[in-house]
């Protein structure tokens, strides 16, 4: 990231595992970067709701980024109505004050 801030791993599994690890270790800046990259590179991958929730949680920890977290969830919830994490997407969006389309 120091050399090129736009670089993410070229494999979704690697990117996702690194995002999870960074989040667990409290390296939220890197976790957010990796999650955003994951969502951008693999928008239809079945793990998108997981990484969407992860990045939304990390963003919501910062008052100035809560709006971005809510917007992201507002986009994800209607697109993943059949996913097991849909209820969590909607619940978190509701907590942040957004109103995603119900599924």
């Amino acid at each position: 990231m120091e050399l090129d801030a736009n670089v993410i791993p070229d494999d979704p599994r690697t990117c996702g595992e690194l995002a999870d690890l960074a989040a667990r270790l409290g390296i939220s800046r890197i976790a957010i970067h990796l999650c955003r990259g994951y969502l951008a590179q693999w928008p239809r991958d079945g793990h998108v709701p997981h990484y969407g929730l992860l990045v939304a949680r990390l963003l919501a920890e910062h008052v100035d980024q809560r709006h971005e977290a809510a917007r992201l969830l507002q986009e994800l919830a209607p697109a993943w109505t059949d996913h097991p994490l849909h209820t969590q997407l909607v619940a978190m969006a509701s907590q942040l004050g957004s109103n995603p389309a119900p599924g």
Side-chain angles (χ1 to χ4, degrees):
M1 282 180 57
E2 294 294 324
L3 297 176
D4 185 350
N6 296 318
V7 172
I8 63 163
D10 60 359
D11 175 69
R13 182 175 174 181
T14 302
C15 185
E17 289 174 359
L18 288 172
D20 286 328
L21 178 61
R24 280 194 310 274
L25 294 174
I27 311 169
S28 58
R29 185 174 69 93
I30 291 175
I32 289 169
H33 171 76
L34 291 166
C35 287
R36 285 176 174 157
Y38 194 102
L39 299 177
Q41 290 293 329
W42 302 286
R44 297 303 312 156
D45 183 84
H47 292 94
V48 162
H50 169 77
Y51 294 108
L53 279 169
L54 179 58
V55 73
R57 285 183 187 120
L58 294 168
L59 290 169
E61 292 175 0
H62 306 280
V63 174
D64 61 328
Q65 294 179 319
R66 289 177 62 90
H67 179 72
E68 181 183 351
R71 182 188 51 75
L72 173 67
L73 293 168
Q74 200 169 20
E75 292 172 8
L76 287 178
W80 293 92
T81 58
D82 294 334
H83 195 279
L85 293 177
H86 179 259
T87 304
Q88 291 179 33
L89 291 168
V90 172
M92 186 168 185
S94 178
Q95 282 180 329
L96 294 173
S98 62
N99 295 310

